Amino acid sequence: MTSQKPSQSMKPATAAKKLGIYLPAAPQEFQDNPVSRAEFNELQSN
């Protein structure tokens, strides 16, 4: 059997820093919820 890693997530402040955006200017939903790796990758590519 192969075990899958649990989905990684990061704090909104960390995601904002890595994306180069100002956190208070981000939508409230972004500020209030952890950002999954998949969501981060999607934001980074767009």
Side-chain angles (χ1 to χ4, degrees):
M1 284 198 211
T2 58
S3 60
Q4 292 183 344
K5 292 181 182 178
S7 175
Q8 293 180 330
S9 64
M10 61 183 81
K11 294 179 183 177
T14 304
K17 184 176 179 180
K18 289 183 178 223
L19 291 167
I21 63 170
Y22 182 56
L23 183 60
Q28 193 64 44
E29 182 180 342
F30 181 89
Q31 295 180 40
D32 293 341
N33 299 303
V35 180
S36 72
R37 177 62 68 185
E39 291 171 325
F40 177 77
N41 289 339
E42 178 69 23
L43 290 168
Q44 198 173 33
S45 69
N46 289 325

Short mmCIF file of all heavy atoms in Angstrom, two decimals:
data_model
loop_
_atom_site.label_atom_id
_atom_site.label_comp_id
_atom_site.label_asym_id
_atom_site.label_seq_id
_atom_site.Cartn_x
_atom_site.Cartn_y
_atom_site.Cartn_z
N MET A 1 0.83 -1.19 0.00
CA MET A 1 0.00 0.00 0.00
C MET A 1 0.87 1.25 0.00
O MET A 1 1.90 1.29 0.65
CB MET A 1 -0.86 0.04 1.26
CG MET A 1 -2.01 -0.86 1.26
SD MET A 1 -3.03 -0.18 2.54
CE MET A 1 -3.85 -1.50 3.19
N THR A 2 0.40 2.25 -0.68
CA THR A 2 1.11 3.54 -0.66
C THR A 2 0.30 4.52 0.15
O THR A 2 -0.91 4.59 0.02
CB THR A 2 1.31 4.10 -2.08
OG1 THR A 2 0.05 4.25 -2.70
CG2 THR A 2 2.19 3.19 -2.91
N SER A 3 0.98 5.25 1.01
CA SER A 3 0.29 6.25 1.81
C SER A 3 0.48 7.62 1.17
O SER A 3 1.56 7.93 0.67
CB SER A 3 0.80 6.26 3.24
OG SER A 3 2.17 6.56 3.26
N GLN A 4 -0.58 8.39 1.17
CA GLN A 4 -0.50 9.73 0.61
C GLN A 4 -0.27 10.73 1.73
O GLN A 4 -0.79 10.57 2.83
CB GLN A 4 -1.79 10.09 -0.12
CG GLN A 4 -2.00 9.27 -1.37
CD GLN A 4 -3.25 9.70 -2.11
OE1 GLN A 4 -4.10 10.39 -1.56
NE2 GLN A 4 -3.36 9.30 -3.35
N LYS A 5 0.52 11.75 1.43
CA LYS A 5 0.76 12.79 2.42
C LYS A 5 -0.52 13.61 2.57
O LYS A 5 -1.24 13.82 1.61
CB LYS A 5 1.88 13.72 1.95
CG LYS A 5 3.23 13.08 1.92
CD LYS A 5 4.27 14.08 1.47
CE LYS A 5 5.64 13.44 1.38
NZ LYS A 5 6.64 14.37 0.91
N PRO A 6 -0.79 14.08 3.78
CA PRO A 6 -1.94 14.95 3.94
C PRO A 6 -1.72 16.26 3.17
O PRO A 6 -0.59 16.66 2.93
CB PRO A 6 -2.01 15.21 5.44
CG PRO A 6 -0.69 14.82 5.98
CD PRO A 6 -0.09 13.84 5.02
N SER A 7 -2.79 16.86 2.77
CA SER A 7 -2.70 18.11 2.02
C SER A 7 -1.99 19.18 2.85
O SER A 7 -2.34 19.41 4.00
CB SER A 7 -4.12 18.58 1.67
OG SER A 7 -4.07 19.83 1.05
N GLN A 8 -0.98 19.78 2.26
CA GLN A 8 -0.25 20.83 2.96
C GLN A 8 -0.99 22.15 2.82
O GLN A 8 -1.62 22.42 1.80
CB GLN A 8 1.15 20.99 2.37
CG GLN A 8 2.04 19.80 2.61
CD GLN A 8 3.41 20.03 2.00
OE1 GLN A 8 3.56 20.72 1.01
NE2 GLN A 8 4.41 19.43 2.60
N SER A 9 -0.92 22.97 3.84
CA SER A 9 -1.51 24.30 3.76
C SER A 9 -0.58 25.28 4.46
O SER A 9 0.31 24.89 5.21
CB SER A 9 -2.90 24.33 4.40
OG SER A 9 -2.82 24.04 5.77
N MET A 10 -0.77 26.56 4.17
CA MET A 10 0.04 27.59 4.80
C MET A 10 -0.86 28.71 5.29
O MET A 10 -1.99 28.86 4.83
CB MET A 10 1.12 28.10 3.85
CG MET A 10 0.61 28.74 2.59
SD MET A 10 1.92 29.24 1.47
CE MET A 10 2.28 27.69 0.68
N LYS A 11 -0.33 29.48 6.21
CA LYS A 11 -1.08 30.61 6.74
C LYS A 11 -1.24 31.65 5.64
O LYS A 11 -0.38 31.78 4.76
CB LYS A 11 -0.33 31.24 7.92
CG LYS A 11 -0.24 30.34 9.11
CD LYS A 11 0.53 31.01 10.21
CE LYS A 11 0.69 30.08 11.40
NZ LYS A 11 1.51 30.71 12.45
N PRO A 12 -2.34 32.41 5.68
CA PRO A 12 -2.55 33.45 4.67
C PRO A 12 -1.39 34.44 4.58
O PRO A 12 -1.00 34.85 3.49
CB PRO A 12 -3.83 34.15 5.13
CG PRO A 12 -4.55 33.11 5.91
CD PRO A 12 -3.49 32.29 6.58
N ALA A 13 -0.79 34.80 5.72
CA ALA A 13 0.32 35.75 5.71
C ALA A 13 1.53 35.18 4.96
O ALA A 13 2.20 35.89 4.21
CB ALA A 13 0.71 36.12 7.13
N THR A 14 1.78 33.89 5.14
CA THR A 14 2.89 33.24 4.45
C THR A 14 2.63 33.20 2.95
O THR A 14 3.51 33.50 2.14
CB THR A 14 3.10 31.82 4.99
OG1 THR A 14 3.31 31.90 6.40
CG2 THR A 14 4.27 31.14 4.34
N ALA A 15 1.41 32.82 2.58
CA ALA A 15 1.05 32.75 1.16
C ALA A 15 1.17 34.13 0.51
O ALA A 15 1.70 34.26 -0.59
CB ALA A 15 -0.36 32.20 1.00
N ALA A 16 0.68 35.16 1.20
CA ALA A 16 0.74 36.52 0.66
C ALA A 16 2.19 36.94 0.45
O ALA A 16 2.55 37.51 -0.58
CB ALA A 16 0.03 37.49 1.59
N LYS A 17 3.05 36.62 1.41
CA LYS A 17 4.46 36.98 1.31
C LYS A 17 5.10 36.29 0.10
O LYS A 17 5.82 36.91 -0.68
CB LYS A 17 5.19 36.61 2.59
CG LYS A 17 6.63 37.02 2.62
CD LYS A 17 7.27 36.70 3.97
CE LYS A 17 8.72 37.10 3.99
NZ LYS A 17 9.36 36.79 5.27
N LYS A 18 4.82 34.99 -0.06
CA LYS A 18 5.40 34.24 -1.17
C LYS A 18 4.86 34.71 -2.52
O LYS A 18 5.55 34.62 -3.53
CB LYS A 18 5.13 32.74 -1.00
CG LYS A 18 5.94 32.13 0.13
CD LYS A 18 5.70 30.64 0.23
CE LYS A 18 6.55 30.07 1.33
NZ LYS A 18 7.17 28.82 0.94
N LEU A 19 3.61 35.19 -2.53
CA LEU A 19 3.02 35.69 -3.77
C LEU A 19 3.41 37.14 -4.05
O LEU A 19 3.17 37.66 -5.13
CB LEU A 19 1.48 35.58 -3.71
CG LEU A 19 0.92 34.17 -3.75
CD1 LEU A 19 -0.55 34.19 -3.38
CD2 LEU A 19 1.14 33.53 -5.10
N GLY A 20 3.97 37.80 -3.04
CA GLY A 20 4.38 39.19 -3.21
C GLY A 20 3.21 40.15 -3.19
O GLY A 20 3.23 41.17 -3.86
N ILE A 21 2.18 39.82 -2.40
CA ILE A 21 1.02 40.71 -2.29
C ILE A 21 0.90 41.23 -0.86
O ILE A 21 1.43 40.65 0.08
CB ILE A 21 -0.30 40.01 -2.71
CG1 ILE A 21 -0.62 38.83 -1.77
CG2 ILE A 21 -0.24 39.55 -4.15
CD1 ILE A 21 -2.00 38.25 -1.98
N TYR A 22 0.20 42.33 -0.73
CA TYR A 22 -0.04 42.97 0.56
C TYR A 22 -1.28 42.32 1.16
O TYR A 22 -2.37 42.42 0.61
CB TYR A 22 -0.23 44.46 0.34
CG TYR A 22 -0.44 45.28 1.59
CD1 TYR A 22 0.49 45.25 2.63
CD2 TYR A 22 -1.53 46.12 1.70
CE1 TYR A 22 0.31 46.03 3.76
CE2 TYR A 22 -1.71 46.91 2.82
CZ TYR A 22 -0.79 46.85 3.86
OH TYR A 22 -0.97 47.62 4.97
N LEU A 23 -1.12 41.59 2.28
CA LEU A 23 -2.22 40.81 2.86
C LEU A 23 -3.49 41.63 3.12
O LEU A 23 -4.58 41.18 2.75
CB LEU A 23 -1.76 40.09 4.13
CG LEU A 23 -2.80 39.17 4.78
CD1 LEU A 23 -3.24 38.07 3.83
CD2 LEU A 23 -2.27 38.58 6.07
N PRO A 24 -3.41 42.82 3.73
CA PRO A 24 -4.65 43.57 3.96
C PRO A 24 -5.40 43.95 2.67
O PRO A 24 -6.58 44.26 2.71
CB PRO A 24 -4.18 44.82 4.72
CG PRO A 24 -2.94 44.36 5.41
CD PRO A 24 -2.28 43.43 4.43
N ALA A 25 -4.71 43.92 1.53
CA ALA A 25 -5.38 44.24 0.27
C ALA A 25 -6.02 43.01 -0.37
O ALA A 25 -6.77 43.14 -1.33
CB ALA A 25 -4.37 44.85 -0.70
N ALA A 26 -5.73 41.83 0.18
CA ALA A 26 -6.30 40.59 -0.35
C ALA A 26 -7.75 40.46 0.08
O ALA A 26 -8.17 41.04 1.09
CB ALA A 26 -5.49 39.40 0.15
N PRO A 27 -8.54 39.68 -0.66
CA PRO A 27 -9.94 39.47 -0.26
C PRO A 27 -10.03 38.87 1.15
O PRO A 27 -9.14 38.13 1.58
CB PRO A 27 -10.46 38.46 -1.29
CG PRO A 27 -9.55 38.61 -2.46
CD PRO A 27 -8.21 39.00 -1.89
N GLN A 28 -11.10 39.19 1.87
CA GLN A 28 -11.27 38.72 3.25
C GLN A 28 -11.21 37.20 3.33
O GLN A 28 -10.64 36.65 4.26
CB GLN A 28 -12.61 39.23 3.80
CG GLN A 28 -12.74 39.06 5.30
CD GLN A 28 -11.71 39.89 6.08
OE1 GLN A 28 -11.48 41.04 5.76
NE2 GLN A 28 -11.09 39.30 7.07
N GLU A 29 -11.79 36.51 2.35
CA GLU A 29 -11.78 35.04 2.35
C GLU A 29 -10.34 34.51 2.34
O GLU A 29 -10.03 33.54 3.01
CB GLU A 29 -12.54 34.53 1.14
CG GLU A 29 -12.63 33.02 1.09
CD GLU A 29 -13.41 32.51 -0.12
OE1 GLU A 29 -14.15 33.30 -0.73
OE2 GLU A 29 -13.25 31.33 -0.45
N PHE A 30 -9.47 35.16 1.58
CA PHE A 30 -8.06 34.76 1.52
C PHE A 30 -7.40 34.98 2.88
O PHE A 30 -6.63 34.15 3.35
CB PHE A 30 -7.34 35.56 0.44
CG PHE A 30 -5.87 35.21 0.28
CD1 PHE A 30 -5.47 34.21 -0.57
CD2 PHE A 30 -4.89 35.90 1.00
CE1 PHE A 30 -4.12 33.88 -0.72
CE2 PHE A 30 -3.56 35.59 0.86
CZ PHE A 30 -3.17 34.57 0.00
N GLN A 31 -7.72 36.10 3.53
CA GLN A 31 -7.10 36.44 4.81
C GLN A 31 -7.53 35.52 5.94
O GLN A 31 -6.78 35.29 6.88
CB GLN A 31 -7.46 37.88 5.21
CG GLN A 31 -6.91 38.92 4.27
CD GLN A 31 -7.30 40.32 4.71
OE1 GLN A 31 -7.30 40.62 5.90
NE2 GLN A 31 -7.63 41.17 3.76
N ASP A 32 -8.75 34.98 5.85
CA ASP A 32 -9.32 34.20 6.95
C ASP A 32 -9.06 32.70 6.90
O ASP A 32 -9.27 32.03 7.90
CB ASP A 32 -10.84 34.42 6.99
CG ASP A 32 -11.20 35.85 7.37
OD1 ASP A 32 -10.35 36.56 7.92
OD2 ASP A 32 -12.35 36.24 7.11
N ASN A 33 -8.63 32.17 5.76
CA ASN A 33 -8.53 30.72 5.61
C ASN A 33 -7.13 30.29 5.21
O ASN A 33 -6.47 30.97 4.43
CB ASN A 33 -9.52 30.24 4.55
CG ASN A 33 -10.95 30.56 4.93
OD1 ASN A 33 -11.41 30.17 5.98
ND2 ASN A 33 -11.63 31.30 4.07
N PRO A 34 -6.70 29.13 5.72
CA PRO A 34 -5.40 28.59 5.28
C PRO A 34 -5.43 28.35 3.77
O PRO A 34 -6.47 28.07 3.20
CB PRO A 34 -5.28 27.26 6.03
CG PRO A 34 -6.27 27.31 7.13
CD PRO A 34 -7.35 28.26 6.70
N VAL A 35 -4.29 28.45 3.15
CA VAL A 35 -4.17 28.28 1.70
C VAL A 35 -3.52 26.93 1.44
O VAL A 35 -2.41 26.68 1.91
CB VAL A 35 -3.33 29.41 1.09
CG1 VAL A 35 -3.19 29.24 -0.41
CG2 VAL A 35 -3.93 30.77 1.42
N SER A 36 -4.21 26.06 0.69
CA SER A 36 -3.64 24.75 0.38
C SER A 36 -2.55 24.90 -0.67
O SER A 36 -2.47 25.91 -1.36
CB SER A 36 -4.72 23.79 -0.13
OG SER A 36 -5.12 24.16 -1.44
N ARG A 37 -1.72 23.89 -0.78
CA ARG A 37 -0.64 23.91 -1.77
C ARG A 37 -1.22 24.04 -3.18
O ARG A 37 -0.71 24.78 -4.00
CB ARG A 37 0.20 22.64 -1.63
CG ARG A 37 1.31 22.51 -2.63
CD ARG A 37 2.33 23.60 -2.55
NE ARG A 37 3.12 23.53 -1.33
CZ ARG A 37 4.02 24.44 -0.98
NH1 ARG A 37 4.27 25.46 -1.75
NH2 ARG A 37 4.68 24.33 0.13
N ALA A 38 -2.32 23.34 -3.45
CA ALA A 38 -2.95 23.40 -4.78
C ALA A 38 -3.47 24.81 -5.06
O ALA A 38 -3.29 25.34 -6.16
CB ALA A 38 -4.08 22.39 -4.88
N GLU A 39 -4.12 25.43 -4.06
CA GLU A 39 -4.61 26.79 -4.24
C GLU A 39 -3.45 27.76 -4.45
O GLU A 39 -3.53 28.65 -5.29
CB GLU A 39 -5.42 27.23 -3.01
CG GLU A 39 -6.74 26.51 -2.85
CD GLU A 39 -7.39 26.81 -1.52
OE1 GLU A 39 -6.68 26.98 -0.50
OE2 GLU A 39 -8.63 26.85 -1.49
N PHE A 40 -2.38 27.59 -3.69
CA PHE A 40 -1.22 28.46 -3.83
C PHE A 40 -0.63 28.35 -5.23
O PHE A 40 -0.33 29.35 -5.86
CB PHE A 40 -0.16 28.10 -2.77
CG PHE A 40 1.10 28.91 -2.92
CD1 PHE A 40 1.14 30.23 -2.49
CD2 PHE A 40 2.22 28.37 -3.49
CE1 PHE A 40 2.30 31.00 -2.64
CE2 PHE A 40 3.38 29.12 -3.64
CZ PHE A 40 3.41 30.44 -3.21
N ASN A 41 -0.47 27.11 -5.71
CA ASN A 41 0.07 26.91 -7.05
C ASN A 41 -0.80 27.56 -8.12
O ASN A 41 -0.30 28.14 -9.08
CB ASN A 41 0.26 25.42 -7.34
CG ASN A 41 1.40 24.83 -6.53
OD1 ASN A 41 2.29 25.54 -6.06
ND2 ASN A 41 1.37 23.52 -6.36
N GLU A 42 -2.12 27.47 -7.95
CA GLU A 42 -3.05 28.09 -8.89
C GLU A 42 -2.91 29.61 -8.86
O GLU A 42 -2.84 30.26 -9.91
CB GLU A 42 -4.49 27.68 -8.54
CG GLU A 42 -5.55 28.31 -9.42
CD GLU A 42 -5.54 27.79 -10.84
OE1 GLU A 42 -5.05 26.68 -11.09
OE2 GLU A 42 -6.04 28.52 -11.73
N LEU A 43 -2.84 30.18 -7.67
CA LEU A 43 -2.67 31.63 -7.55
C LEU A 43 -1.34 32.09 -8.15
O LEU A 43 -1.25 33.13 -8.80
CB LEU A 43 -2.75 32.05 -6.08
CG LEU A 43 -4.12 31.95 -5.43
CD1 LEU A 43 -4.01 32.12 -3.92
CD2 LEU A 43 -5.08 32.97 -6.01
N GLN A 44 -0.31 31.29 -7.94
CA GLN A 44 1.02 31.64 -8.42
C GLN A 44 1.09 31.60 -9.94
O GLN A 44 1.78 32.41 -10.56
CB GLN A 44 2.03 30.68 -7.81
CG GLN A 44 3.45 31.15 -7.86
CD GLN A 44 4.38 30.23 -7.09
OE1 GLN A 44 4.17 29.03 -7.03
NE2 GLN A 44 5.39 30.80 -6.49
N SER A 45 0.36 30.70 -10.55
CA SER A 45 0.41 30.57 -12.01
C SER A 45 -0.47 31.59 -12.73
O SER A 45 -0.33 31.77 -13.93
CB SER A 45 0.05 29.15 -12.44
OG SER A 45 -1.32 28.90 -12.19
N ASN A 46 -1.39 32.20 -12.02
CA ASN A 46 -2.30 33.17 -12.67
C ASN A 46 -1.99 34.58 -12.28
O ASN A 46 -1.98 35.10 -11.33
CB ASN A 46 -3.77 32.84 -12.36
CG ASN A 46 -4.20 31.59 -13.08
OD1 ASN A 46 -3.77 31.34 -14.18
ND2 ASN A 46 -5.02 30.81 -12.43
#
